[in-house]
Amino acid sequence: MGRLFWKFFFAFWLALLTAGIGVGTAVWLRHTAQQNLSAKQADVVDVRRASLVKLAASTLPHGGVKGLHDFMQTLQNTRFPPIYAVDDTDRELLGRPLAAEVLQQARALHRKNAYPDAIQMVAADDGHRYLLFVPLPEHGFGDLFRPSFPGGSAGLPPMGFDGPIPGDRPPPPPDDRIRRPRNEPPPPILPIVSGGVASLLFSGLLAWYFATPIRSLRDAFSAVAQGRLNTRIGKAMGRRGDELADLGRDFDHMAQKICSLINAQQHLLHDVSHELRSPLARIQAAIGLAQQQPEKLPATLERIERESQRISDLVGELLMLSKLEAGVAQGKTDRINLADLLADIVADVRFEAEPKRVELSYHGDIDAVIECQSELLHRAIENVLRNAVQHCKTAGTVVIAADFGSDNRRLRIRVDDDGPGIADQDLTAIFQPFFRSGQPQKPHSTGLGLTIAHRAVEAHGGSISASNRPQGGLSVLIEIPFPTPQANER
């Protein structure tokens, strides 16, 4: 596991643990508060019941049995729980029915003196002793005092039971509550430990989920740095659909692009070596011929000069291509008259086309001033025209058409020739350095003209494409976006 895994792990774990402890503590505190509230409510009920019994017992010394009878009769019309007064003959003072089990339980608890405030035995002026208590019908004595009697039902003692009460305990202090809650809240350590273990496992899985693809990316970068350019990690990302998967796909695209660029550079180096080797070999042969046949020295020097010029042109084209690809050939823009630029280029190329009797036909009314890198634009258009002249048949025609398109914001220059054309699958490859389509190399071609034209047009934000003409020959289209051209005022 790397450092990133442990950083993710501890960050997620601490965050989850803190959240879990906070939530667990809040739940535990809420549960404890609810338990305390229930206990307080139970205390209120128990204290109120004991108070009623005390109040009923205090009426006997002042009002006698009649006063107790009236007091108990009055309570029946209130929301207070009813008080039962049973004499030693098991007769209830108000004549209300009372279950024998409840009465037996009350007497048994009184004998044990378990709850002296809630169950009292008082003497009356009629010579009877009355047992005063307040049972709650919805709870029953089994829920109020929680004794356990063998053989009884619902926690009540059987009839005639006079033995010790199982599970009996010393009476609580007078202010203590009679009934205690059955369920105590769980200790807080249990949810904390459970949450800690769960957060530990979840944090480990989450950290592994994020750290594994990043570790794969690191290994892939290391492999590419060591020269293994065929390294790909798209499949290793699986079916992920997040940013890490996008990063993996971007890495594969980058690796493929680097591989293509390096292959192109190696191919270019091979082609440059081949292009330089041929004129150098001819120069060496001419020098040897001059040494053997001094009388042919003028012709030999002319051949050496021609081959040297070819090498110079090739080196110049390579330097220009290198600058364009590196982005350092872009100079400052200047304002030029587009019609004058095209006229100068056509005039220069027409002079070179005369030995082949190739006619140049120029069509275009674009008398406008534009801002561009005039040297690069001149080089791009001139190279396309020269390529058309070189591949045009003898006594053929090269047509140049220029306009600003339908939106008046895009310069369009089309160059058509009467040459043999090229295969459809090579229409994009002709803009690569030293491309050969199976045709013999032209004597005055460096193989970089269209490549430089392509880079120069791209430097202006435009595009260049080639297509075969239906009637034969090649058509090259240059499109360069420009602001609305300004008409030249003469």
Side-chain angles (χ1 to χ4, degrees):
M1 298 298 178
R3 291 171 294 177
L4 186 62
F5 171 84
W6 293 112
K7 289 181 180 180
F8 275 128
F9 175 79
F10 283 114
F12 292 141
W13 181 54
L14 290 177
L16 292 173
L17 187 62
T18 303
I21 291 176
V23 173
T25 303
V27 172
W28 181 78
L29 291 176
R30 178 177 176 83
H31 182 72
T32 303
Q34 290 177 347
Q35 290 288 342
N36 293 335
L37 180 61
S38 300
K40 289 179 181 179
Q41 293 174 348
D43 287 342
V44 171
V45 173
D46 292 340
V47 170
R48 189 164 64 178
R49 189 181 61 196
S51 300
L52 288 175
V53 172
K54 289 182 179 180
L55 185 60
S58 65
T59 59
L60 283 173
H62 303 286
V65 175
K66 185 179 184 306
L68 178 61
H69 180 278
D70 295 340
F71 176 73
M72 294 171 56
Q73 186 72 36
T74 303
L75 285 181
Q76 291 189 109
N77 300 323
T78 65
R79 293 165 51 184
F80 290 97
I83 301 176
Y84 287 85
V86 182
D87 60 10
D88 44 16
T89 63
D90 293 342
R91 182 180 64 86
E92 207 274 324
L93 183 60
L94 298 181
R96 292 171 293 183
L98 183 65
E101 291 84 359
V102 175
L103 179 59
Q104 288 288 349
Q105 182 182 7
R107 290 189 184 280
L109 292 175
H110 177 261
R111 285 195 298 270
K112 299 299 297 181
N113 197 25
Y115 303 98
D117 292 332
I119 304 175
Q120 295 187 21
M121 181 71 73
V122 294
D125 54 2
D126 61 354
H128 293 284
R129 292 172 58 85
Y130 288 89
L131 179 67
L132 300 178
F133 61 92
V134 181
L136 296 181
E138 65 272 17
H139 296 293
F141 272 98
D143 183 61
L144 294 174
F145 304 108
R146 298 192 298 173
S148 176
F149 299 94
S153 60
L156 299 176
M159 294 296 294
F161 182 82
D162 195 24
I165 302 176
D168 193 16
R169 55 187 174 182
D175 293 336
D176 195 8
R177 57 188 185 145
I178 296 177
R179 179 167 57 97
R180 300 183 185 275
R182 291 182 177 180
N183 297 322
E184 296 293 336
I189 190 64
L190 183 60
I192 291 177
V193 172
S194 301
V197 174
S199 64
L200 194 68
L201 295 176
F202 182 77
S203 299
L205 292 175
L206 197 59
W208 174 86
Y209 179 77
F210 284 113
T212 298
I214 296 177
R215 187 167 56 251
S216 300
L217 280 171
R218 182 194 63 186
D219 296 339
F221 276 110
S222 177
V224 171
Q226 295 175 5
R228 299 196 296 272
L229 301 180
N230 58 344
T231 302
R232 302 291 184 271
I233 62 171
K235 294 182 179 180
M237 292 296 178
R239 298 182 178 179
R240 302 175 66 103
D242 52 12
E243 286 78 3
L244 290 175
D246 295 338
L247 185 60
R249 286 189 291 268
D250 291 340
F251 171 84
D252 290 347
H253 179 71
M254 179 198 69
Q256 182 178 1
K257 190 68 175 178
I258 291 176
C259 186
S260 299
L261 290 176
I262 290 180
N263 291 335
Q265 292 295 330
Q266 292 176 348
H267 183 69
L268 178 61
L269 180 61
H270 175 270
D271 290 340
V272 169
S273 301
H274 177 75
E275 293 294 330
L276 289 176
R277 183 184 304 166
S278 297
L280 287 175
R282 287 191 290 267
I283 289 175
Q284 291 176 353
I287 293 174
L289 183 61
Q291 292 175 349
Q292 295 175 4
Q293 300 177 359
E295 68 278 4
K296 296 184 178 181
L297 183 59
T300 303
L301 291 177
E302 182 181 356
R303 180 61 179 267
I304 292 175
E305 181 182 6
R306 186 166 60 251
E307 298 298 338
S308 299
Q309 184 62 40
R310 176 176 173 79
I311 293 176
S312 177
D313 293 341
L314 179 60
V315 172
E317 297 288 328
L318 286 172
L319 289 175
M320 175 58 70
L321 178 62
S322 176
K323 290 179 180 180
L324 287 172
E325 290 185 343
V328 297
Q330 300 181 7
K332 63 179 182 179
T333 60
D334 47 11
R335 296 169 61 86
I336 63 169
N337 186 289
L338 191 57
D340 295 340
L341 176 68
L342 291 175
D344 292 341
I345 295 174
V346 171
D348 292 341
V349 177
R350 181 177 284 122
F351 177 77
E352 298 178 6
E354 289 180 357
K356 291 185 61 176
R357 292 176 293 153
V358 174
E359 179 183 356
L360 266 67
S361 176
Y362 170 59
H363 306 283
D365 185 12
I366 50 173
D367 191 12
V369 176
I370 61 174
E371 291 186 0
C372 66
Q373 301 179 56
S374 58
E375 183 179 355
L376 287 182
L377 185 60
H378 186 284
R379 192 72 171 266
I381 299 174
E382 184 181 39
N383 285 355
V384 173
L385 280 177
R386 284 181 173 176
N387 181 78
V389 170
Q390 289 175 5
H391 292 85
C392 185
K393 66 182 180 180
T394 304
T397 302
V398 174
V399 180
I400 308 102
D403 59 68
F404 274 105
S406 58
D407 56 359
N408 203 33
R409 299 178 62 89
R410 179 177 292 270
L411 174 63
R412 293 163 48 93
I413 300 176
R414 181 180 296 276
V415 179
D416 300 334
D417 62 59
D418 289 337
I422 61 174
D424 291 339
Q425 63 270 19
D426 296 334
L427 289 174
T428 57
I430 62 175
F431 298 104
Q432 300 299 321
F434 304 111
F435 172 75
R436 294 178 178 83
S437 60
Q439 301 178 4
Q441 182 72 17
K442 298 300 179 180
H444 300 290
S445 174
T446 61
L448 296 175
L450 291 182
T451 304
I452 293 177
H454 181 258
R455 301 293 191 273
V457 171
E458 283 187 341
H460 284 84
S463 62
I464 183 171
S465 59
S467 60
N468 287 308
R469 302 172 62 195
Q471 64 271 30
L474 189 68
S475 177
V476 178
L477 176 63
I478 298 175
E479 292 185 302
I480 302 176
F482 286 113
T484 303
Q486 300 177 1
N488 188 22
E489 298 180 357
R490 294 185 181 272

